[in-house]
Amino acid sequence: MYIQQAFKYQYEFWRYLVGIFVVIAAVFAGQMPLLVAVFLKAGFDLEGMDETQVMQVLDSNLSLFLMLLTFAVALVGLLFAVKFIHSQPFTALTTARKKIDWSRFFFAFGLVAVFSISVTLFDYFTNPEDYVVNFQPTPFFIMLAIAVVMVPLQTSFEEYFFRGYLMQGLGTLVRNRWVPLFITSVIFGGLHFFNPEVTKLGNIIMIYYIGTGFLLGIMTLMDDGLELALGFHAGNNLITAVLVTADWTAFQTNSVLKDISEPSAGLDVIIPVLVIYPIFLFIMARKYNWKNWGQRLFGKVEKPEVLKPSELG
């Protein structure tokens, strides 16, 4: 099992605490280029500016690159901790399979990409007054190159840290599956509280963020690996960055479309979590023949017994 295999390596919980410290340090280090660039551009005249306004100080493509660089550096810090603190190979952090199944990654990526593109186009053609065409060839293709390389690094860090590192660490500590699922999902959603979308839409949007954390966590536990969660998260963020932006979103990009409508949060926050996400899980469950949901989501995590040489036969 995905969590259980962490017992094969250096799994003492103090190691995870040290690893978390390493990751936090890497996050701060990764933020330095962005902070330096902002201060060089605007000096210290940032008083009264919110996060979105601060990000708009820089060219949007430079701002996007530097923001995503934070996650790339954090990913390096995480992989350093896994290798040198836990002596755990990259594959064992990714999946319980003998090798990473990239077909799962691309299936989840394609599933959410087709859905996101379809919904956006439907909304664009039914409510054209809510959008303006934002496409400018040179800035767009520069943004596309940045997004294709850097967005998967951002989403991979979040998946490897929350659904991988913390899921395995908490699972070996509490010896069950539901506590890691609950804690990692709430923390993942909670960290989005500082996104500009929350300021604009209100706290109700946290239902979406936390619900997304549960969706990705359920994928990981049911499928015994991160491949589906990695693909889903990368597809969602990449398509969003390329296809549509708005003045109040975390991703300020030279996308194809710009949403100029006045945003509001209501059923459009609840429906994805209660309707769309279960449909995604149903499709994946049918494709990958998921069974024994109770055990996989709520069962115990037992440390494998180490046989004595005399018992090996």
Side-chain angles (χ1 to χ4, degrees):
M1 294 292 183
Y2 177 66
I3 293 179
Q4 189 179 34
Q5 68 181 355
F7 285 115
K8 298 177 183 178
Y9 311 102
Q10 303 295 324
Y11 68 90
E12 295 85 358
F13 195 68
W14 67 264
R15 296 178 185 272
Y16 286 95
L17 296 178
V18 174
I20 291 170
F21 176 81
V22 170
V23 170
I24 292 174
V27 169
F28 280 110
Q31 289 177 336
M32 291 307 298
L34 174 60
L35 295 176
V36 170
V38 169
F39 282 122
L40 288 176
K41 183 73 174 181
F44 291 89
D45 189 24
L46 301 175
E47 186 176 353
M49 298 174 64
D50 59 26
E51 180 183 352
T52 302
Q53 292 171 322
V54 170
M55 297 300 291
Q56 291 173 345
V57 168
L58 302 175
D59 170 78
S60 62
N61 281 336
L62 177 60
S63 176
L64 177 66
F65 173 78
L66 293 176
M67 180 179 69
L68 295 175
L69 181 63
T70 299
F71 298 93
V73 175
L75 180 60
V76 172
L78 175 60
L79 297 180
F80 175 89
V82 170
K83 180 176 177 60
F84 293 102
I85 297 176
H86 299 274
S87 301
Q88 183 176 4
F90 179 71
T91 300
L93 184 66
T94 307
T95 184
R97 286 168 275 276
K98 292 183 179 180
K99 61 181 181 179
I100 299 172
D101 185 353
W102 290 107
S103 68
R104 281 172 150 83
F105 174 93
F106 289 111
F107 173 78
F109 185 102
L111 180 65
V112 71
V114 169
F115 174 79
S116 298
I117 293 171
S118 300
V119 169
T120 301
L121 291 179
F122 176 80
D123 193 46
Y124 173 72
F125 286 114
T126 54
N127 301 286
E129 70 279 1
D130 290 344
Y131 296 90
V132 294
V133 176
N134 192 50
F135 179 75
Q136 300 178 52
T138 300
F140 172 81
F141 286 111
I142 294 173
M143 179 276 297
L144 181 62
I146 294 170
V148 167
V149 174
M150 301 298 289
V151 168
L153 294 178
Q154 174 244 327
T155 56
S156 293
F157 165 70
E158 293 183 357
E159 291 312 305
Y160 276 110
F161 185 63
F162 289 102
R163 259 66 62 179
Y165 193 68
L166 292 185
M167 187 84 79
Q168 289 186 342
L170 289 169
T172 57
L173 176 68
V174 301
R175 306 295 174 94
N176 64 47
R177 292 175 173 82
W178 70 269
V179 169
L181 173 61
F182 180 83
I183 291 178
T184 58
S185 300
V186 172
I187 294 176
F188 171 80
L191 289 178
H192 289 78
F193 181 77
F194 302 100
N195 280 19
E197 290 91 337
V198 178
T199 302
K200 189 70 174 180
L201 299 175
N203 292 340
I204 190 173
I205 192 66
M206 296 303 298
I207 295 174
Y208 171 77
Y209 289 130
I210 294 175
T212 301
F214 274 101
L215 170 72
L216 296 166
I218 292 170
M219 285 182 194
T220 301
L221 292 179
M222 290 303 303
D223 201 52
D224 261 344
L226 288 177
E227 295 99 330
L228 291 174
L230 285 166
F232 188 94
H233 200 165
N236 180 76
N237 285 26
L238 181 59
I239 297 303
T240 299
V242 171
L243 199 57
V244 62
T245 190
D247 289 334
W248 44 269
T249 58
F251 275 1
Q252 300 285 310
T253 66
N254 292 292
S255 57
V256 176
L257 300 172
K258 184 173 183 178
D259 186 346
I260 59 172
S261 65
E262 183 62 28
S264 62
L267 286 178
D268 51 343
V269 173
I270 307 296
I271 289 176
V273 175
L274 298 184
V275 179
I276 305 302
Y277 285 179
I279 292 175
F280 284 143
L281 291 174
F282 175 78
I283 292 171
M284 293 177 179
R286 292 296 299 270
K287 180 172 177 60
Y288 296 110
N289 196 29
W290 291 348
K291 295 179 180 178
N292 201 8
W293 287 68
Q295 172 62 25
R296 286 181 177 268
L297 298 181
F298 303 103
K300 295 180 179 179
V301 174
E302 297 180 354
K303 182 180 178 181
E305 292 185 9
V306 178
L307 297 179
K308 299 177 181 179
S310 60
E311 297 175 315
L312 295 177

